[in-house]
Amino acid sequence: MSPQIARSLGFRRALTLTALTAVAPGSAQVLTGRRRVGYSALAIWVLTVVGLMVVVWRARSDLAGTIAAVADADTLLVARFAILVLAVGWVSMFLDAWRSASSAPLDRPRTVVVAVLNVALLAGVAGSAAYVSQVLGVSREVVTQVFDDTETSEALEGRFNILLIGSDSGDGRFGIRPDSLTVASIDADTGRTVLVSLPRNLENVPFRDDSPMQDLYPDGFNCGDECLLNAVHTVVEERTDLYPGSEDPGLDATIDAVEGVTDLTINYHVMVNLGGFSSLVDAVGGIDMDIKAPIAMFGQDDAYKQEYIKPGVQTLDGNQALWYARSRVQSNDFTRMGRQKCLMSAMLEQLSPQTVLLNASRIADSSKNLVSTDIPATELGQFADLTLKARGKQISSVSLVPPVVNTSFPDFDVIHQLIADAIDGPVAPTATPDSTPTQEDPGTPSPSPEAGEPTDDDLGDAANNADDLRSIC
């Protein structure tokens, strides 16, 4: 055999061994006579592929159970260890196949091609394993640090009621005087969601009969103009005598107040650090929003900045999304509540499984500083399933805002009926722009919309009470 033919056959053999290892680790060893090692590696590979197929098949029929199993801290630890072991084994198969291929005569160009191909595949396997291991590690930290509660709560009358609390991230502000309060009432079968926004300046809020706060405030939280809904936390945060054994009496009292206002029993709460929310939006590459009118990106103390989110369809980064949700300059609390609903609706629609998967590491890392909740890890599968069911469905909303609700002297029987109607199907009448009080800052002029163009208040009024948020936002 001529040297040229020998080099050609050697090159073909090297490529074959590399390709076999890439497709079915161990097959190259079987081909080169190391059958025991080869068959062992192939058996492990087949078992791994079959295991992944079983997980995918189970996820198609029982997504909630699959996610709950995968979200278990011990499962994540075992999976991380298994990924590293499999990666080391696969890399060993590549190196062994490369060594076997190197025994054949090759000229320099072909040697370089084989080397580059093997190094690329080795880097791909090692890099992918390192990334997956990192995602599993960070996910396990989130499960153990954020979803560490163990007490579960069953659906009540076919619904889960989740209290979403937005809290400023400044010093001493996390969990104190919540910036926003929204109850997401979710149908336990279909995922249909109703968002109920509660004004933080709601006065005279009642407490249910079984609440410790009922003894202190039998006629509601009526100790003056400072006794607003979002002040309940501050007033009670040190009262462990009212809530023995509680880590956060103020939060428990706030939940009691929300239950009194809405006549809904809260299953779980999720407290979102608004500062950390910005990093979550950045982690998923931004959120697409249709901005109806300029949104001020400054407060009264830094009005000189005169920065705005401009009208039009655009992708908001984390900082812009945060201002979209919280800006009150040249606006008011009620308009802001409508914007927050639009933002939640957009995130539900746009955070697809593919987006979450591709950004899993950054999402998990931001979640550690973003969320505080009493939802246990065992319930993650169920709520992930409901979230997927909710995508594409209409999201209804009801807000307790003027003129339907007088926040200073609210009629809580009317409020209970508004919420019950929204959950049953029909929604409350939509507030008109002229009837909603504003809290504008005359010292910070903003760009004026053209005549006939929608304003920020128009959006807020429409979104606060809507059958379908997507059609409004």
Side-chain angles (χ1 to χ4, degrees), residues 109-127:
R110 291 187 172 105
T111 299
V112 171
V113 170
V114 171
V116 169
L117 178 61
N118 276 276
V119 169
L121 290 172
L122 286 169
V125 170

Side-chain angles (χ1 to χ4, degrees), residues 81 86 140 147 192 235 250 268 287 324:
F81 177 75
L86 289 173
R140 186 173 185 272
F147 301 96
R192 177 181 174 268
V235 171
Y268 300 106
I287 297 294
Y324 179 86

Side-chain angles (χ1 to χ4, degrees), residues 10 21 52 82 103 133 181 188 203 281 288 290 372 395 421 471:
T21 304
L52 291 175
S103 61
S133 177
L181 294 162
E203 297 185 32
V281 174
D288 295 334
D290 184 3
S372 170
I395 299 177
D421 288 345
S471 66

Side-chain angles (χ1 to χ4, degrees), residues 24-47 93:
S27 53
Q29 282 67 33
V30 173
L31 187 64
T32 56
R34 302 183 61 193
R35 289 184 171 81
R36 179 177 296 180
V37 173
Y39 283 130
S40 296
L42 278 172
I44 295 173
W45 178 250
V46 170
L47 288 174
M93 294 297 101

Side-chain angles (χ1 to χ4, degrees), residues 10-22 25-32 34 89-124:
F11 181 59
R12 188 177 303 172
R13 180 172 182 268
L15 295 179
T16 300
L17 294 178
T18 301
L20 287 173
T21 304
S27 53
Q29 282 67 33
V30 173
L31 187 64
T32 56
R34 302 183 61 193
W90 202 353
V91 166
S92 299
M93 294 297 101
F94 268 117
L95 292 174
D96 184 69
W98 190 3
R99 180 192 59 78
S100 298
S102 299
S103 61
L106 295 175
D107 55 22
R108 183 177 295 275
R110 291 187 172 105
T111 299
V112 171
V113 170
V114 171
V116 169
L117 178 61
N118 276 276
V119 169
L121 290 172
L122 286 169

Side-chain angles (χ1 to χ4, degrees), residues 8 19 34 93 111 123 125 141 155 183 198 222 261 305 318 331 401-402 404 409 446 466 473:
S8 179
R34 302 183 61 193
M93 294 297 101
T111 299
V125 170
E141 287 184 25
V183 177
L198 287 74
N222 61 350
V261 171
K305 291 183 177 180
S331 184
V401 300
V404 180
F409 302 98
S446 63
C473 303

Side-chain angles (χ1 to χ4, degrees), residues 50-394:
V50 170
L52 291 175
M53 292 175 63
V54 169
V55 171
V56 172
W57 175 81
R58 182 185 174 188
R60 291 174 65 90
S61 59
D62 183 16
L63 179 62
T66 303
I67 294 178
V70 172
D72 179 73
D74 292 336
T75 300
L76 291 171
L77 182 62
V78 170
R80 189 180 190 189
F81 177 75
I83 287 291
L84 294 175
V85 170
L86 289 173
V88 170
W90 202 353
V91 166
S92 299
M93 294 297 101
F94 268 117
L95 292 174
D96 184 69
W98 190 3
R99 180 192 59 78
S100 298
S102 299
S103 61
L106 295 175
D107 55 22
R108 183 177 295 275
R110 291 187 172 105
T111 299
V112 171
V113 170
V114 171
V116 169
L117 178 61
N118 276 276
V119 169
L121 290 172
L122 286 169
V125 170
S128 299
Y131 175 75
V132 173
S133 177
Q134 180 189 13
V135 170
L136 292 174
V138 176
S139 298
R140 186 173 185 272
E141 287 184 25
V142 173
V143 168
T144 56
Q145 295 178 18
V146 178
F147 301 96
D148 58 346
D149 274 69
T150 57
E151 185 175 351
T152 60
S153 177
E154 299 296 326
L156 304 171
E157 298 182 356
R159 304 190 73 83
F160 286 104
N161 300 310
I162 316 297
L163 175 59
L164 309 175
I165 306 171
S167 174
D168 275 337
S169 59
D171 293 340
R173 290 294 303 280
F174 191 86
I176 300 175
R177 285 190 178 270
D179 200 58
S180 65
L181 294 162
T182 302
V183 177
S185 184
I186 308 168
D187 188 291
D189 294 322
T190 67
R192 177 181 174 268
T193 302
V194 176
L195 298 177
V196 181
S197 292
L198 287 74
R200 60 181 189 168
N201 63 338
L202 198 64
E203 297 185 32
N204 305 312
V205 296
F207 300 93
R208 284 188 165 177
D209 292 340
D210 58 352
S211 170
M213 296 292 286
Q214 176 65 17
D215 295 332
L216 290 182
Y217 303 98
D219 299 319
F221 195 48
N222 61 350
C223 49
D225 293 340
E226 293 300 315
C227 283
L228 310 177
L229 174 58
N230 74 327
V232 171
H233 190 293
T234 304
V235 171
V236 192
E237 61 184 345
E238 302 295 335
R239 296 296 301 272
T240 54
D241 57 312
L242 295 176
Y243 296 89
S246 172
E247 295 182 1
D248 192 343
L251 175 59
D252 291 334
T254 299
I255 293 174
D256 286 351
V258 170
E259 290 184 337
V261 171
T262 62
D263 199 29
L264 299 174
T265 298
I266 301 300
N267 295 90
Y268 300 106
H269 78 273
V270 178
M271 184 175 290
V272 179
N273 181 330
L274 292 181
F277 170 78
S278 175
S279 64
L280 173 63
V281 174
D282 285 333
V284 299
I287 297 294
D288 295 334
M289 296 294 299
D290 184 3
I291 309 301
K292 307 297 185 182
I295 307 295
M297 294 179 61
F298 52 85
Q300 294 185 10
D301 294 336
D302 55 358
Y304 61 87
K305 291 183 177 180
Q306 293 291 299
E307 295 179 9
Y308 295 87
I309 303 173
K310 297 180 180 179
V313 178
Q314 56 181 295
T315 300
L316 304 184
D317 61 24
N319 184 50
Q320 291 172 320
L322 181 59
W323 277 109
Y324 179 86
R326 73 190 300 186
S327 180
R328 287 201 314 271
V329 171
Q330 299 150 351
S331 184
N332 57 67
D333 276 334
F334 310 130
T335 298
R336 184 177 70 157
M337 288 163 60
R339 276 193 259 111
Q340 289 171 351
K341 287 202 187 98
C342 286
L343 187 60
M344 284 188 277
S345 176
M347 293 189 71
L348 177 63
E349 290 300 315
Q350 296 175 37
L351 291 186
S352 65
Q354 296 90 337
T355 301
V356 173
L357 181 62
L358 292 174
N359 299 279
S361 181
R362 292 200 297 168
I363 291 174
D365 190 53
S366 66
S367 296
K368 291 186 295 183
N369 300 316
L370 170 68
V371 174
S372 170
T373 183
D374 60 351
I375 298 177
T378 54
E379 298 295 281
L380 290 178
Q382 180 171 216
F383 286 114
D385 188 32
L386 288 176
T387 300
L388 291 176
K389 288 179 179 179
R391 295 185 73 237
K393 288 186 173 63
Q394 292 184 353

